[in-house]
Amino acid sequence: MTEIRHIVFDIGKVLIHYDPNLPFSRLIPDADERKWFFDNVCTHDWNIEQDRGRTWEEAEALLIAEHPDHAENIRNFRRLWHEMVPHAYDDSVQIMEKLIESGHDVTMLTNFAADTLAEARQRFDFLNRPRGVTISGEIGMIKPDRGIYDHHVTAFGLEPAATLFIDDSPKNVDGAKAAGWQSVLFTDAKTLEADLRGLGVRV
């Protein structure tokens, strides 16, 4: 196996917490109603298009036309985004910072709307420490599409076989492997440390 020279972190659910239920448990207290809202109105498929670059204005207008009775909560999805991201995963951040401090080449690759990531980087300064980041919302591609991995390689001068990707989504991990990268599934910081050691990366 090729020695790892580049380490690429996902952001959401790896370095920072993300949960839309946090504000919406207050806005829609009934669990069944809230589940219906996320399954039928502000769905994952709807939200991922903002990660692909669609503006919130366009996204909101589209849904409000279909679900006018839910207009306020549709707008609340972006308006209250900051509540969905309440804290960092300090132990994961510590691993990333140790890797940077010990001289490893660390970048980030994320499915994120450009504006919300800008907000996250203002709130969480450690997101500015890696060498750089590929933001899906800025380039119009999302994981696990092959193109976003190839874009990241080109943008940061990486060798795919010597690149390790860390992501919480099995699909995104598989996408990285299909692009010729090494990749591990993130579950928690302790497991990540063990995975890194197993791959010859000291933390």
Side-chain angles (χ1 to χ4, degrees):
M1 186 175 290
T2 305
E3 179 184 0
I4 292 167
R5 297 198 304 277
H6 316 288
I7 301 172
V8 183
F9 279 81
D10 178 32
I11 296 177
K13 296 187 177 180
V14 174
L15 297 172
I16 59 177
H17 188 58
Y18 172 74
D19 184 0
N21 282 288
L22 294 173
F24 278 91
S25 61
R26 180 180 74 252
L27 300 171
I28 309 175
D30 184 271
D32 290 337
E33 290 182 16
R34 189 166 64 253
K35 183 178 186 303
W36 182 92
F37 179 79
F38 286 133
D39 287 347
N40 295 278
V41 184
C42 289
T43 65
H44 171 78
D45 288 345
W46 170 79
N47 190 42
I48 201 72
E49 291 307 313
Q50 284 74 269
D51 289 352
R52 202 192 299 270
R54 180 171 64 187
T55 68
W56 288 101
E57 292 78 10
E58 182 183 353
E60 290 171 359
L62 178 71
L63 277 196
I64 290 169
E66 295 178 3
H67 304 279
D69 292 346
H70 296 278
E72 190 64 15
N73 277 335
I74 290 167
R75 294 189 181 98
N76 279 333
F77 196 94
R78 174 62 183 95
R79 185 183 295 150
L80 300 178
W81 179 86
H82 63 283
E83 294 186 29
M84 302 177 190
V85 187
H87 61 81
Y89 294 153
D90 292 338
D91 45 4
S92 300
V93 173
Q94 187 176 42
I95 291 172
M96 184 184 76
E97 291 183 329
K98 284 182 177 179
L99 289 168
I100 294 169
E101 289 164 5
S102 61
H104 289 89
D105 178 38
V106 176
T107 57
M108 300 180 297
L109 169 59
T110 183
N111 284 353
F112 232 110
D115 63 319
T116 50
L117 185 61
E119 183 178 325
R121 293 178 84 175
Q122 288 182 333
R123 290 174 55 198
F124 303 107
D125 188 58
F126 60 81
L127 293 176
N128 300 303
R129 293 206 61 197
R131 182 160 66 97
V133 57
T134 292
I135 306 165
S136 63
E138 290 186 347
I139 64 170
M141 292 183 281
I142 58 172
K143 298 174 293 182
D145 297 345
R146 171 66 182 263
I148 197 168
Y149 301 98
D150 293 344
H151 175 94
H152 193 78
V153 163
T154 301
F156 293 100
L158 310 184
E159 180 186 343
T163 299
L164 175 67
F165 185 48
I166 301 160
D167 197 292
D168 67 296
S169 164
K171 288 182 179 179
N172 296 343
V173 166
D174 290 345
K177 290 177 179 177
W181 299 19
Q182 300 180 55
S183 190
V184 295
L185 181 68
F186 178 83
T187 55
D188 57 69
K190 185 176 181 180
T191 303
L192 175 58
E193 273 193 302
D195 288 340
L196 289 169
R197 284 196 302 271
L199 291 166
V201 179
R202 291 188 177 184
V203 180

